Each structure stands twice: as structure tokens, then as C-alpha cells.
Amino acid sequence: MGDGSITPRLGNMKAFLGLVAGAGASYGLYKLISGESFKRNKKSAANESAGVRSSQPSEGTLQPGSLLARVSGLDVVGPRPVGGASGDLAHQSPGNLDPQHLKMLLSCLQTSNNTTDRCRILLTLGNSAAFTVNQNLLREFEGIHIIAGFLSDPAPEVRVQTLNALNNICMNIQNQEQIKVYVPQVLELIEMSPVNSELQLGALRLLTNLSVTDKHQHLLKGSITLLLSLVVVSKETLQVQALKVLVNLSSNPDMMDDIVQAQAPASVVLLFDARTASAVLLRLLTFAGNLKAWRASAQVADELRRKQDCLFRVMLDESSQLHSRLVQLLSHPDVEIQSQVARILT
């Protein structure tokens, strides 16, 4: 929330609950994080493949001076390439890497016991996955499950690079079919990581890409309260990313029943304010516009009014402060914000 946002200095979302609950900022988040809203199976496919490192020798060794070594920044000690073949790679883009080099990287990743090396290898794989050909190859080589296994790595910096790599890999629709099984683990990372951390940001970016189409949005039905709570307690960068996911979800009419029934922090309405950063406010208005376009029957509306602190009561009910706050925003200096507000009100 711009300069006036609450900046948590506590270690994680659980520790922060005491502060925000007292201020009424994040009602219901405790239940969400303590497991009443999210009950996950710890023996998911993500954990079955997590951190499995073969004791067998790797298929290859990163060659000194190769493109892979340069892109990853990994200092390689090994035999000199015969005939300078690996040296030729230095003049190619990551999109032209040979399949054998991707296999080699995946093998090195599984066998590495060095945190810095794992980070650099994941960075290289993430960079290579900016190209469609490598996205397909990583899927064919079972690389998605190998990489996702490091979501449970003990080093937070490795988990961050894992999320970044999966974010690029997720740009491929076919790859999303494999990545979707890790959504519960990604949500758990968001819940348990420090507020405003790179881990939370990386996880939200991945969920943003995964929720661009409506195919996998149902996997996030139980995360609405978490996302709204992040919007309330986070700094601008994380607020924007959480709102991107909420905007994606609220664009799907089939998701609206779950969204309006979700518990919501009452203070989310306070963000509809001229002091809120424009990047945050614009996305909040888009989200609100999507909600306003939803039409509930009289019976459903009555049922929702009886649900304490649900999003319907916070933002859509006649008792909500949202309407009066939107009227005040008609005089906002940003013309785009004025336009968004006028569209919602009319």
C-alpha cells in the first residue's frame, strides 16, 4: 500500500498473524495457514521427486569456456574439450544449445551438493527455458520434475531459482500439465516464507503464468484468502503480483462463486484510496470491476450476507464502504484510474 503500507519485520506469515489480526487486516488467514483451509498431502508428486540425487556419475561435465559455463557463471574444472567443440558453443545463443547439454545440466543438478552450483545450474536452465525448443526438451527429458524437486531444497536461494526456472518453463502450455501438480507446494511456500521475500514473489509469478488461461485456475480456489491477505500486508511489488493472480481468476465466471465466498480482510477496502500506489490501485479496480460484473440471485446474495467477513460482504454488499470510496476516486489525478472508476460506477 504505497508509502503508508505496513512493513512486516517478522520471520514469516505465521509470526505476522498476531499483528494483522489485531488491526483487523487479515481476518481468517490464521485458519488458512494453520491448515483448516489448506490440507495438503505431504507425499505429493513434488515431494516424491524432491531432492533425489543419483549416486551414479553424471552424463557429462560442464566444459571450461562453454556457453553453459558462461551463462551459469559456474566455474568448471575438468578436461579440456577435444577439438574445441565446446568452445564453439560460446558463440551460440541459449536457444541453440544441444540436447546433450541440457541432459548434462540436469544430471549435474541432481548430483551437486554445493548450494551455489545448484543455483547457477538452475539459473542456466531457467535462461535456456526462455526458448520454446528447450521448454519442449526439458519436458521430454523429465527435467520439469527434476527441477521442481528443488522446491523443497533446504537453501532458500535454491528454491528461488527453482521457481524462476519453472516460471519460464510454464510459458509452454504442455509443460503446465506437469507443473500443475506442484501448485499445493508453491502455495505452501508462499504461506511459510517471509513476507515480501523473493520466494513469495517467485511463487506468485509462477501462479500468474499458470492462471493466465482458465484450464488450471480451479487449483487456486482455496487460495483467495491468502492472496487477498498478501495484498493487504505486502509492499507494492508483491501487492501487484498477488493482484495479477486475482485478476486472472476473477476474469473466469466459473471461479466467481468461490471468490465471493472466500474470507477477506475487511481492510482491503481501505486500499481504494488516492494514497495507494497507482500500479496497485489500477489492478484493484480491475479486480473490483470483475466482481461487480458478477450477478448473484437474491437467494445467493442472502446466503452470502450471512457469511461473516466473506468477500461479498466486504466489497459487494450494500453495507460495503467500497461505493463511497470509488466516488472519492473520481477526482484521482491519474486519468486511467478515473476512467476505471467511472466504468465500475456506471
Side-chain angles (χ1 to χ4, degrees):
M1 186 173 51
D3 296 333
S5 63
I6 301 172
T7 304
R9 297 182 178 180
L10 301 173
N12 55 45
M13 292 290 285
K14 281 187 175 179
F16 190 56
L17 283 173
L19 176 61
V20 297
S26 185
Y27 185 92
L29 185 57
Y30 174 78
K31 288 184 178 181
L32 180 67
I33 295 178
S34 63
E36 292 187 25
S37 296
F38 280 111
K39 293 183 179 179
R40 300 196 180 91
N41 184 351
K42 297 295 183 181
K43 296 181 180 180
S44 63
N47 289 335
E48 290 180 87
S49 62
V52 178
R53 301 189 179 98
S54 171
S55 60
Q56 298 300 318
S58 61
E59 294 183 19
T61 305
L62 286 175
Q63 297 297 331
S66 69
L67 175 63
L68 299 178
R70 292 187 183 187
V71 173
S72 68
L74 188 62
D75 293 323
V76 181
V77 178
R80 292 291 178 184
V82 178
S86 187
D88 293 339
L89 289 173
H91 303 291
Q92 299 180 30
S93 77
N96 293 328
L97 294 178
D98 290 336
Q100 66 185 29
H101 294 105
L102 289 176
K103 284 184 177 180
M104 182 173 61
L105 279 173
L106 291 169
S107 179
C108 289
L109 180 62
Q110 290 178 286
T111 57
S112 173
N113 292 318
N114 183 284
T115 298
T116 301
D117 288 354
R118 292 200 300 279
C119 284
R120 289 173 175 172
I121 294 170
L122 285 164
L123 174 62
T124 302
L125 289 168
N127 287 344
S128 72
F131 298 87
T132 303
V133 62
N134 291 333
Q135 293 168 359
N136 293 329
L137 286 172
L138 286 170
R139 181 181 66 253
E140 293 167 12
F141 297 157
E142 296 296 322
I144 294 175
H145 296 304
I146 292 172
I147 292 169
F150 290 87
L151 288 171
S152 58
D153 193 279
E157 58 268 37
V158 173
R159 298 199 295 273
V160 169
Q161 291 299 336
T162 300
L163 289 165
N164 292 343
L166 290 175
N167 188 34
N168 277 352
I169 295 170
C170 191
M171 299 299 288
N172 184 303
I173 298 298
Q174 288 178 277
N175 289 350
Q176 291 183 3
E177 290 298 319
Q178 294 187 18
I179 293 174
K180 69 180 182 182
V181 301
Y182 300 101
V183 167
Q185 196 173 356
V186 173
L187 288 170
E188 188 172 19
L189 278 176
I190 294 174
E191 294 170 10
M192 303 308 297
S193 299
V195 181
N196 296 311
S197 64
E198 288 297 316
L199 271 168
Q200 285 190 332
L201 186 59
L204 287 170
R205 283 173 177 154
L206 177 57
L207 294 181
T208 301
N209 281 341
L210 199 59
S211 62
V212 168
T213 66
D214 59 10
K215 189 170 185 179
H216 306 301
Q217 289 177 347
H218 65 281
L219 299 172
L220 300 176
K221 283 183 178 181
S223 68
I224 307 302
T225 303
L226 173 64
L227 294 168
L228 289 169
S229 299
L230 286 173
V231 171
V232 169
V233 304
S234 303
K235 292 181 180 179
E236 179 180 343
T237 302
L238 206 74
Q239 285 179 307
V240 168
Q241 205 63 50
L243 282 165
K244 285 181 179 180
V245 182
L246 286 168
V247 168
N248 284 349
L249 299 180
S250 62
S251 299
N252 181 358
D254 293 335
M255 288 289 295
M256 289 305 299
D257 286 351
D258 294 284
I259 293 174
V260 297
Q261 292 182 64
Q263 282 186 308
S267 54
V268 71
V269 177
L270 302 179
L271 290 171
F272 291 87
D273 188 278
R275 292 168 294 181
T276 298
S278 294
V280 175
L281 189 52
L282 281 168
R283 287 170 176 83
L284 268 171
L285 290 168
T286 303
F287 179 58
N290 289 345
L291 294 181
K292 289 282 189 179
W294 177 76
R295 294 289 180 267
S297 66
Q299 180 181 354
V300 171
D302 287 340
E303 291 176 0
L304 288 171
R305 288 188 184 100
R306 290 193 289 269
K307 290 194 66 169
Q308 188 176 10
D309 298 318
C310 70
L311 185 60
F312 176 85
R313 290 192 61 177
V314 171
M315 290 184 64
L316 297 178
D317 194 30
E318 295 172 356
S319 61
S320 172
Q321 300 178 33
L322 181 59
H323 182 81
S324 61
R325 287 185 162 271
L326 289 174
V327 172
Q328 294 174 19
L329 287 173
L330 284 170
S331 59
H332 195 284
D334 189 312
V335 176
E336 188 176 357
I337 288 175
Q338 289 181 26
S339 176
Q340 286 257 37
V341 172
R343 191 177 302 117
I344 294 173
L345 290 175
T346 55

